[in-house]
Amino acid sequence: MEFSDRQLAILNAIIHDYIETAIPVGSRTIARKYMPDISSATIRNEMSDLEHMGMLVQPHTSAGRIPSQLAYRLYVNKIIKEHDFEGIVDNHIANDFERLKGEMLQVVKNAARLISMNTNYTAIALTPQLRRTTLKRIQLIPVTKGLMLMVIVTDAARVKQKMLHIPTNVSESLMDELSFIISKRFAGQAIADIDLNLLDGISDVKQNNPVFFDTINNYLNEVILHSDSSDVVLEGVKCIFDYPEYRDITHAKRFFNLLDSKELLQKILTDSTRRGTNVIIGGEDNYEELIDFSVVTTCYKVGPRPIGAIGVIGPVRMDYPKVISVLEQTGKALSNVMTSYINE
Amino acid sequence: MEFSDRQLAILNAIIHDYIETAIPVGSRTIARKYMPDISSATIRNEMSDLEHMGMLVQPHTSAGRIPSQLAYRLYVNKIIKEHDFEGIVDNHIANDFERLKGEMLQVVKNAARLISMNTNYTAIALTPQLRRTTLKRIQLIPVTKGLMLMVIVTDAARVKQKMLHIPTNVSESLMDELSFIISKRFAGQAIADIDLNLLDGISDVKQNNPVFFDTINNYLNEVILHSDSSDVVLEGVKCIFDYPEYRDITHAKRFFNLLDSKELLQKILTDSTRRGTNVIIGGEDNYEELIDFSVVTTCYKVGPRPIGAIGVIGPVRMDYPKVISVLEQTGKALSNVMTSYINE
DNA sequence: GTTAGCACTCTCGTCTGTCGAGTGCTAATT
DNA sequence: AATTAGCACTCGACAGACGAGAGTGCTAAC
């Protein structure tokens, strides 16, 4: 599909105006505000053409027009291609993270809060994914007769704790011993590569206490395979009320249903962890639930390795340039903090 | 203030009807649905009296009447006095908790979810408060050169972890040693009673490595004094949309502002931990922010000792009997689970 | 003390007409 | 051939009118 320069300029003006005002924009508005040297009639003709090309939509006859999903896509692709994200990372953002160093969950939550405050949309984030990190250390701690706590420390200083049932009696010293052996054998390796069976020949726990061994082994395998929907973080949920498209309660309700079942967000964020910056406009890519919403995501890394993702969810009429830039900045700041641990 | 039996019956009928329908109720409705043997005119006279006594409010002339805050208070007081909460705990609720044993945070979250599902209001909860529990064990785990993880295990099997900076170099064996000494010295004591200075004479860490010692000591004191607003759990936020009083976006917004700044909820829940079941109706007790909302809370315990609270927030027109009963039931089930650890 | 009856009030939904913004088309202009 | 002025037409938003319905308060009768 080919557009003349003027058509592109008009399309751009319409998108800008609609993102700003949420009111369908008419030919006279464009003529007055954006291109005073051509008449509204001309613009009218161009708009008619643009509508036939599928770039504009008319809510009803004799209303202005609004950009179609396709138009947003075109717009976003151009932004992503042209925008230079290599700029300096906002120090304000970076400093804020430094302060929280060590509490990875808190750092990610704070990143989400910052994103929400800076963009005025609802921020979403995926906490560092264990299976994408490398092991620092494992520690088993007895809690009661039938319970022990397993603490997994990873290179991104992300800590995961899990309470495990132990049907048999296990001495504290055995836990300490196993903690030490596992940590020593697998430290520095990817969590995904941990296989307790490799301990054969190093330790005889598996033979002497198979139930205990299996409990730990099973949980580790679980951690390796699955990410948890509780890994999804939300911030600034109430922002949605600032946008007139959700003034109607039924729309607001749909939004909260989306956020409530975190599976979808988890999937999108997990995808983005692999793929980097990604924009889903109004239910593209078979995300039917997302009709009337747009989601922008990007990943953050430890060194060269992506381990989690951050993003924004809001109306299709979203300030994409700003959102993309805030996300990229925050992603970099986050990555810096996470990476700094590796070198310690 | 004295009421005749008939006045009380009418008041009750009005409250019931309004809780159910959210429509101001008129004299004819009462006559038709609740007391067919007296005429609407009589009821009209009684309602007029009740209004003068401050129990009813008229939104505008020629509309029905709605119960006043005072009327709800009267109603709730009677429920609390009369209702027998000693009934059996719903097994469905109890079983669900058994399954999650060990993950205290998860158990509390699940309790909140259950409450929300059973009442169709937004549930709030306070996780077990460390300063109200007794110590089982403390474990220090080195993470990187400048960071260590402190894990506190308490009798309610609540686990708290905190990443701490250590400016000086501390060996792993020193951490182990101190973990062992602290755990041994203070196990079984209330967290609030822990005072590392009591270690004088037992260990010389304080003298040999004052910075390390202070870091730990400071954090422990912090834990003892303050509860964290992140200890507040929310579930079923979207329930609010089911109630017509929040159809207007500005009301919904107020609700989300309340939930967003968790300080208020934290205060209410902390109060309830001390005081047991508590009902705040439409901004009573100087909770001005809560105008147009009601909050019902109760506590849960380990043995005889209350350590946290659960509750519900919703419209003033709330189904108090149901909410109170669900909360009491869930509170008991929660207490049972928590208490079962003590005896292990 | 209770109730029937009536005048009155207020909300809500429907209908109507007007206004303004916007469109599409045609003919004139450049 | 492209642009523009002009005009008829469409539609939503808004305001005012109006009746229906629900409710009240008061009075007089039971």
Side-chain angles (χ1 to χ4, degrees), chain B residues 255-319:
Chain B
F255 181 71
F256 282 93
N257 276 325
L258 262 181
L259 299 190
D260 234 46
S261 76
K262 293 187 171 167
E263 284 77 19
L264 183 69
L265 298 182
Q266 190 198 340
K267 182 170 181 308
I268 292 172
L269 286 166
T270 308
D271 274 10
S272 183
T273 308
R274 267 189 286 105
R275 297 179 11 193
T277 302
N278 193 23
V279 181
I280 301 169
I281 300 169
E284 281 177 331
D285 302 344
N286 290 327
Y287 285 112
E288 293 93 359
E289 305 94 321
L290 287 182
I291 285 180
D292 291 338
F293 300 99
S294 277
V295 181
V296 184
T297 51
T298 192
C299 62
Y300 59 86
K301 309 176 182 182
V302 167
R305 200 162 17 97
I307 55 162
I310 51 182
V312 148
I313 179 167
V316 176
R317 172 186 73 88
M318 185 184 276
D319 187 345

Side-chain angles (χ1 to χ4, degrees), chain A residues 121-135:
Chain A
Y121 297 109
T122 303
I124 58 181
L126 193 69
T127 58
Q129 293 299 284
L130 277 200
R131 65 176 188 290
R132 297 177 179 277
T133 58
T134 66
L135 183 70

Side-chain angles (χ1 to χ4, degrees), chain A residues 308-324:
Chain A
I310 51 181
V312 148
I313 179 168
V316 176
R317 172 185 72 87
M318 186 183 276
D319 188 345
Y320 294 99
K322 180 163 192 187
V323 166
I324 293 176

